[in-house]
Amino acid sequence: MSSQPRRLLVTSALPYANGQIHIGHLVEYVQTDIWVRFQRMRGHEVHYVGADDTHGTPIMLRAEKEGLTPKELIAKVWQEHKRDFDDFLISFDHYYTTDSPENETLSQSIYLKLRDAGLIEMRTIEQAYDPVKEMFLPDRFIKGECPKCGAKDQYGDSCEKCGATYSPTDLKNPFSVVSGATPIKKLSDHYFFKLSDPRCENFLRDWTQVKTPLQPEARNKMKEWVGQPGESKLGDWDISRDAPYFGFEIPDAPGKYFYVWLDAPIGYYASFLKYCEQTGLNFDEWVSPDTTTEQYHFIGKDILYFHTLFWPATLHFAGYRTPTNVFAHGFLTVDGEKMSKSRGTLISAHSVMECGFNPEWFRYYFATKLNDSLEDLDLNLQDFVARVNSDLLGKYINIASRSAGFLVKRFAGVVNDQAMDHTLITHITGASETIAALYEAREYAKALRTVMELADQVNAFVDDNKPWDIAKDPEREADLQRVCSVTLEAFRLLTLYLKPVLPNIAVGVEEFLSIPPLNWGHVHTPLNSQSPIKPYKHLMTRVEAPQIEALLAANL
């Protein structure tokens, strides 16, 4: 265990309250949760917070369509999101909403600090207006062709194909997503965060290229955006939207509202502030510029721009600490293709549970694919069935079922203390810091590959020693107890290494082995004869192919 406990504030990106959680979203929350659980096992102080992202025109329009107020809609969606996160064992310390009094207060306070620093400017701009719906159109409600690469059907703020950012008025052949009409241009007063100010440019160049150990792909992308010293590449950021809009009104600007991307990241802090008020933590101590706490954001690569430019600049110039790091991941494909509703592969989190899947199957499978890069990962459904059944059932769970029965029936569940010095145990124990370093680096695929290699060695030990044969010889009772004791201690160690990924299984194993909740320091606390194990009960079932068919059918 690390000698000096760390203090970590961790977030995942905030899911938008305009849709359900699907398995593509879950990749990020599982990735974050594994890291958080690992850090807790290491003895660090970790606070993992999140919230629903609740503001903007899409919420307003969907609520109107469903005959609800926006607040009624977001309350309903919050319940669904929280249910799905709980089902997949995502261990938030606090899960909140960005439509909160804490977020309104913080957002207005931060805005006023930026304004006082001379970084907010009002300008009259030409803006897209829907002549049918009679409303200004936010970026995501205008589509057209990217002005940089020509890709069709792109949103009004950024291109998903080439990554360019631009103004909605720059789109070629634009149309309103709300009515289908061709937008007209109207003038409106808007408020801008002056990212082009030399203070911002210099800060962001230093933060992205020198001070923050961003992933190489992320750092290179930021380098394109911030440019070299003397270059002015950053455009100013429009942080306002016109009524009608569901969000927070800008101070001293009636009818103008904060753009959702201004108050959504502040929602991380608002969720943490609420949690601090509930638990007695000192909020300022965690978020002040000179704090020794660490702050990490897990996000998808599609929102890298907002988290590595807008968010650090907002924090820095409003007098808060900046993130220790931002960890981005790639997208999830299913059987090598983008998730598709028509193919049944836009799989909702709730349908996974309704079809009787064990969420730890998905947690494990995603972990076998996750690393520290921005590369996409694929859920191959045939491989999913084979991998879960082979690794978790065939290699890992099988170890306990092959040994526990003999120990309970023949030795009242008591292990042999001398067996804990066996070379196999020493070898598995010796892997603890290697596996810990892989978890720390978010190299989960490598960590689990290492654990499964150890599981193979344990199964080879069982096959070589054949406890089922030893059990037939009354003269070899001591050998039988020794072999079964070594096997179960090895199983305990493998469970410890897998616990960040399989927390429910770990609870079942802890009960079965009569041990306290495992933390990383328990690597050196073997089973002992004073705590007899309990009779073995099935810890996990197999995935069956018909379950996959039912899941795909449920999402058509």
Side-chain angles (χ1 to χ4, degrees):
M1 187 174 304
S2 302
S3 55
Q4 198 63 31
R6 296 155 63 192
R7 305 173 77 208
L8 309 157
L9 173 61
V10 183
T11 75
S12 302
L14 311 183
Y16 199 43
N18 193 33
Q20 57 189 344
I21 302 297
H22 57 67
I23 56 170
H25 295 126
L26 284 170
V27 168
E28 177 173 306
Y29 300 98
V30 167
Q31 182 189 38
T32 317
D33 187 70
I34 290 170
W35 200 75
V36 163
R37 288 179 181 273
F38 164 72
Q39 301 294 354
R40 289 176 183 145
M41 287 181 71
R42 295 286 275 181
H44 302 311
E45 181 182 353
V46 188
H47 303 292
Y48 178 24
V49 301
D52 269 2
D53 178 6
T54 56
H55 290 154
T57 305
I59 301 292
M60 184 179 71
L61 292 175
R62 180 180 161 190
E64 181 184 306
K65 188 176 177 182
E66 294 188 16
L68 301 170
T69 66
K71 287 186 182 291
E72 288 170 339
L73 172 65
I74 63 177
K76 176 173 80 93
V77 173
W78 186 93
Q79 294 289 345
E80 295 168 359
H81 286 182
K82 187 64 168 65
R83 172 203 66 202
D84 294 342
F85 289 138
D86 289 347
D87 283 345
F88 279 82
L89 313 174
I90 309 302
S91 58
F92 286 111
D93 291 298
H94 189 250
Y95 194 76
Y96 206 30
T97 170
T98 60
D99 190 50
S100 70
E102 293 83 5
N103 200 29
E104 184 169 24
T105 299
L106 276 173
S107 296
Q108 292 181 344
S109 164
I110 285 172
Y111 166 80
L112 291 172
K113 287 174 180 175
L114 296 176
R115 190 181 72 179
D116 292 346
L119 292 171
I120 301 295
E121 181 175 278
M122 189 186 81
R123 297 179 202 157
T124 301
I125 64 166
E126 218 174 30
Q127 210 188 352
Y129 185 84
D130 187 325
V132 175
K133 194 71 177 173
E134 296 185 333
M135 62 181 284
F136 285 103
L137 289 168
D139 305 344
R140 291 265 148 172
F141 277 74
I142 311 168
K143 280 191 171 182
E145 297 169 16
C146 171
K148 303 287 174 68
C149 74
K152 295 183 184 302
D153 210 33
Q154 296 303 311
Y155 287 112
D157 57 351
S158 63
C159 177
E160 292 181 340
K161 187 165 184 183
C162 73
T165 59
Y166 40 75
S167 296
T169 50
D170 295 334
L171 278 174
K172 297 175 184 172
N173 301 317
F175 61 92
S176 165
V177 175
V178 183
S179 70
T182 300
I184 62 172
K185 294 177 181 178
K186 285 186 77 170
L187 295 177
S188 177
D189 291 339
H190 272 234
Y191 293 82
F192 287 80
F193 182 5
K194 295 165 63 179
L195 287 179
S196 63
D197 185 293
R199 290 173 291 171
C200 288
E201 289 195 333
N202 292 334
F203 161 72
L204 286 171
R205 197 172 289 115
D206 187 50
W207 191 85
T208 61
Q209 301 303 308
V210 180
K211 286 189 175 172
T212 311
L214 294 172
Q215 293 147 290
E217 309 104 303
R219 188 168 60 249
N220 291 338
K221 196 70 182 168
M222 294 305 105
K223 195 171 186 178
E224 289 176 31
W225 286 330
V226 299
Q228 301 295 332
E231 280 186 291
S232 184
K233 283 201 165 189
L234 287 172
D236 294 336
W237 179 33
D238 186 348
I239 60 166
S240 62
R241 293 295 182 267
D242 292 284
Y245 193 82
F246 179 55
F248 297 140
E249 205 163 21
I250 297 176
D252 307 322
K256 305 292 180 181
Y257 292 81
F258 288 126
Y259 173 41
V260 62
W261 266 109
L262 186 282
D263 70 68
I266 297 171
Y268 296 137
Y269 272 15
S271 181
F272 185 56
L273 175 59
K274 181 70 171 178
Y275 175 67
C276 288
E277 289 169 352
Q278 293 172 343
T279 59
L281 283 173
N282 185 325
F283 176 75
D284 292 337
E285 193 179 303
W286 282 76
V287 301
S288 65
D290 57 353
T291 183
T292 57
T293 62
E294 301 171 48
Q295 180 176 315
Y296 297 96
H297 302 293
F298 285 75
I299 60 165
K301 63 183 178 183
D302 55 327
I303 54 174
L304 192 63
Y305 191 88
F306 297 99
H307 282 79
T308 53
L309 295 178
F310 298 163
W311 178 229
T314 299
L315 289 170
H316 177 72
F317 290 102
Y320 291 93
R321 56 93 32 82
T322 52
T324 308
N325 213 339
V326 175
F327 299 138
H329 60 83
F331 301 132
L332 179 72
T333 56
V334 179
D335 288 338
E337 303 281 342
K338 276 186 77 171
M339 286 188 288
S340 159
K341 180 72 178 169
S342 63
R343 293 173 60 244
T345 55
L346 187 66
I347 299 169
S348 73
H350 192 51
S351 70
V352 170
M353 304 305 295
E354 287 189 313
C355 289
F357 280 71
N358 184 332
E360 289 185 297
W361 293 342
F362 279 94
R363 288 178 64 98
Y364 179 78
Y365 189 77
F366 288 157
T368 67
K369 300 274 186 166
L370 280 163
N371 56 35
D372 69 346
S373 81
L374 275 63
E375 66 190 24
D376 295 344
L377 56 154
D378 186 54
L379 167 59
N380 179 293
L381 293 167
Q382 282 189 316
D383 180 53
F384 170 79
V385 174
R387 177 73 67 94
V388 169
N389 290 342
S390 169
D391 285 6
L392 293 185
L393 278 299
K395 293 185 180 182
Y396 165 58
I397 298 292
N398 190 42
I399 292 169
S401 62
R402 297 177 86 183
S403 311
F406 292 124
L407 211 55
V408 169
K409 288 175 191 169
R410 305 280 276 268
F411 306 101
V414 175
V415 298
N416 179 300
D417 291 329
Q418 284 68 47
M420 299 305 144
D421 292 331
H422 193 277
T423 54
L424 178 63
I425 302 302
T426 304
H427 173 64
I428 298 173
T429 302
S432 67
E433 286 308 307
T434 297
I435 294 168
L438 292 171
Y439 274 126
E440 176 69 43
R442 308 177 320 288
E443 291 282 7
Y444 304 159
K446 290 180 181 177
L448 295 188
R449 197 154 55 243
T450 302
V451 175
M452 286 304 145
E453 286 168 1
L454 295 173
D456 285 337
Q457 293 168 29
V458 178
N459 282 303
F461 170 82
V462 176
D463 291 340
D464 290 346
N465 285 276
K466 299 180 177 58
W468 50 90
D469 283 347
I470 298 175
K472 297 172 187 173
D473 185 347
E475 304 279 316
R476 301 190 63 193
E477 287 286 286
D479 287 343
L480 180 62
Q481 187 185 25
R482 178 185 60 81
V483 168
C484 291
S485 297
V486 170
T487 305
L488 278 181
E489 171 59 12
F491 179 70
R492 183 193 74 87
L493 289 165
L494 296 177
T495 301
L496 187 155
Y497 296 154
L498 290 169
K499 185 173 180 178
V501 181
L502 306 173
N504 268 3
I505 290 287
V507 169
V509 172
E510 289 157 359
E511 185 180 341
F512 152 56
L513 295 179
S514 302
I515 56 176
L518 289 162
N519 64 46
W520 216 263
H522 288 143
V523 162
H524 302 292
T525 309
L527 297 172
N528 67 80
S529 57
Q530 302 306 305
S531 299
I533 69 163
K534 296 173 183 172
Y536 174 77
K537 294 178 184 173
H538 286 300
L539 292 164
M540 182 178 273
T541 56
R542 294 173 58 82
V543 193
E544 302 295 345
Q547 288 175 280
I548 298 291
E549 293 163 21
L551 183 63
L552 294 177
N555 285 278
L556 283 172

